[in-house]
Amino acid sequence: MAQITKTTPAQCGTSTIIEANFPEVVLITGANSQLAQALLRVAAEMGHLVSNTGVPFKLYALSHSQLDITNAVNIAAVFVQYRPNWVINCAAYNAVDAAENDIVKAHRVNELGPELLAQQCVLSGARLLHVSSDYVFGGNAAYDIGHSVENVSEGVIEPAAKLHYLPSPFVEFDELTPLSEYGKSKLLGEQKVFAVLGERATVVRTSWLYGQGGHNFVKTMLKLMQTQPSLQVIDDQIGCPTWSDALARVMWQLVVAQCSGLFHYSAKGQCSWHEFAVEIQQQALALNLLNQPVVIQPISSADYAKQAFTRGVNVAKRPSYSVLNSDKLQSTLVTNAMPSMPDNIEWQDWHQQLNQMLRQLS
């Protein structure tokens, strides 16, 4: 079991810039990732980005060929060239199943990379915003105990009915028990960032990320629904789909407010992968992204893994429940007077976020 116990609480408002006419440089790693593209898209939508001290932001997004976060010499050279005040790390190894056999690379990118970035941030005085995952949790969610009625029989008090246990979304300091190598590498990465940077580190855990770009569940489902008569989708893993543009919005708000600490962010609500797939199809049909429906059958994680094994695929263990509680992040942004975007989409239900993303595709 691993647990972060010394992470500083949310802190906002400290800026390293003295002259208001000197731009604050934000360096984005993993420029070709769906999240980096979302950050650039949202920044364009927001217009002229300015920090809470009135300092304008200047953005640079670097691809892997320009910045290899596992190469300390490369990182140092890039910092000398761009002199960033903020680094937003979107570079990651996200192939959950492949990580089970590619352990070294997964840990180099997800653990060593963030640590090297943090070390260079210490030397330069920059802040780091690092993105982590709901897969740092093992699925053993906190539980709220429902009401029960007690009967007295022969001097023995027994519950008249079984207690009802309702899983609660994970908060930032719940117990961390990653089940997969991917989850372990993401946990170690965020721990290294805080150990090195302390109060200048910001980590945002998110879940089930999808967007207009990159490889993700929504785009995969749309493609399969156009070519397959039926699909099988897992129905016993519960989480919350999160639109990359909505995550980008809250990340920019954290940067503008100069906030540090550990935060969770996902859309509101929760669902299974099967429920998510059904909703994708319903909305896509309504938006004419699909011509006709296909059969979407539920399947258990165990049966899905067995079928994958017969195809030579080793499926990583995933949490049965990994819904995140975003209250701390929302409260922090409200406290620092950071307004939501005009449509308030970052704090809406996952159905609504999905609809926004699909409308952009259509």
Side-chain angles (χ1 to χ4, degrees), residues 178-246:
L179 302 176
S180 64
E181 287 299 329
Y182 168 77
K184 293 173 185 176
S185 69
K186 294 301 289 184
L187 173 57
L188 289 169
E190 63 181 56
Q191 289 179 329
K192 294 291 180 63
V193 165
F194 280 120
V196 173
L197 264 179
E199 294 181 359
R200 289 211 305 278
T202 308
V203 172
V204 179
R205 293 178 184 145
T206 193
S207 66
W208 295 21
L209 197 64
Y210 66 90
Q212 296 89 310
H215 300 286
N216 57 71
F217 186 80
V218 174
K219 293 182 69 177
T220 298
M221 286 295 105
L222 288 175
K223 182 177 180 179
L224 291 175
M225 290 170 185
Q226 291 170 340
T227 59
Q228 303 295 322
S230 65
L231 302 174
Q232 289 184 318
V233 183
I234 291 173
D235 69 345
D236 58 358
Q237 293 174 19
I238 307 299
C240 186
T242 303
W243 184 28
S244 58
D245 285 38

Side-chain angles (χ1 to χ4, degrees), residues 2-4 7 133-134 136-138 140-144 167-177 187 190 203-206 262-266 321-329:
Q3 192 166 11
I4 295 177
T7 304
S133 168
D134 59 324
V136 300
F137 295 107
N140 296 319
Y143 284 87
D144 294 326
S168 298
F170 285 104
V171 296
E172 285 74 4
F173 295 104
D174 278 332
E175 186 176 55
L176 305 168
T177 55
L187 173 57
E190 63 181 56
V203 172
V204 179
R205 293 178 184 145
T206 193
L262 175 64
F263 301 96
H264 286 175
Y265 176 73
S266 67
Y321 184 92
S322 62
V323 181
L324 301 177
N325 182 317
S326 305
D327 289 350
K328 178 187 174 185
L329 175 57

Side-chain angles (χ1 to χ4, degrees), residues 11 13 36 53 89 91 136 139 157 183 212-213 244 246 270 275 303 308 345:
Q11 299 184 18
T53 58
N89 184 31
V136 300
I157 300 178
Q212 296 89 310
S244 58
Q270 62 184 44
E275 291 171 319
D303 288 340
I345 192 65

Side-chain angles (χ1 to χ4, degrees), residues 27 29 62 73-74 80 89-90 141 163 174 213-214 228 246-247 265 273 291 309 334 338 341:
L27 189 66
T29 71
L62 303 185
V73 174
N74 186 196
V80 169
N89 184 31
C90 296
L163 296 178
D174 278 332
Q228 303 295 322
L247 172 60
Y265 176 73
W273 290 111
N291 295 323
F309 184 75
V334 170
M338 294 303 301
M341 297 292 284

